[in-house]
Amino acid sequence: MTAPLYKQIATLIENSIMDGTYRVDQRIPSTNELARFHRINPATARNGISLLVNAGILYKQPGIGMFVSAQASALIQERRDAAFAANYVAPLIDESILLGFSRSHIHALLDQVAESRGLYE
């Protein structure tokens, strides 16, 4: 299932914060700039930005624009850690219990997949 566009915009901005494209106190593109670039309605872009303002990731400087907050990276990391655990780790553990896997077997499988994807190089 694909996320609504406004959530996709919020995620793109979050990703840009996490990868260092946008840094603390840096201005992000305006609603209109985002709307033009992504060819979406400005209200959709505004809704995505509002999610981030409400979460404390962005802050508004009236008349100037939206900026990355000092705690943005930590807030994003904390929320994504929780989502990762709920969406990926919990189902993995549930399935491994059903299959009767031991903890060491799960670790071995994780290592095998990680190595095949070049994580340990």
Side-chain angles (χ1 to χ4, degrees), residues 22-33:
Y22 300 135
R23 300 189 191 292
V24 172
D25 295 326
Q26 183 176 356
R27 183 185 166 279
I28 66 158
S30 71
T31 298
N32 289 331
E33 290 168 334

Side-chain angles (χ1 to χ4, degrees), residues 18-86:
M18 295 304 286
D19 73 13
T21 301
Y22 300 135
R23 300 189 191 292
V24 172
D25 295 326
Q26 183 176 356
R27 183 185 166 279
I28 66 158
S30 71
T31 298
N32 289 331
E33 290 168 334
L34 287 168
R36 271 194 307 277
F37 182 80
H38 294 288
R39 296 185 176 148
I40 58 173
N41 187 307
T44 302
R46 189 175 311 109
N47 288 339
I49 289 172
S50 292
L51 283 177
L52 300 177
V53 170
N54 293 339
I57 294 166
L58 299 177
Y59 65 92
K60 183 177 184 174
Q61 291 258 334
I64 301 173
M66 298 292 183
F67 294 80
V68 178
S69 73
Q71 66 274 19
S73 291
L75 291 169
I76 294 166
Q77 186 71 44
E78 182 181 309
R79 187 179 45 73
R80 288 187 176 189
D81 282 355
F84 183 81

Side-chain angles (χ1 to χ4, degrees), residues 51-116:
L51 283 177
L52 300 177
V53 170
N54 293 339
I57 294 166
L58 299 177
Y59 65 92
K60 183 177 184 174
Q61 291 258 334
I64 301 173
M66 298 292 183
F67 294 80
V68 178
S69 73
Q71 66 274 19
S73 291
L75 291 169
I76 294 166
Q77 186 71 44
E78 182 181 309
R79 187 179 45 73
R80 288 187 176 189
D81 282 355
F84 183 81
N87 295 329
Y88 299 100
V89 178
L92 172 91
I93 291 170
D94 292 343
E95 184 68 13
S96 66
I97 290 168
L98 288 173
L99 295 171
F101 289 172
S102 67
R103 180 179 285 213
S104 62
H105 186 72
I106 295 167
H107 283 269
L109 289 173
L110 290 172
D111 286 342
Q112 179 183 8
V113 171
E115 283 181 34
S116 73

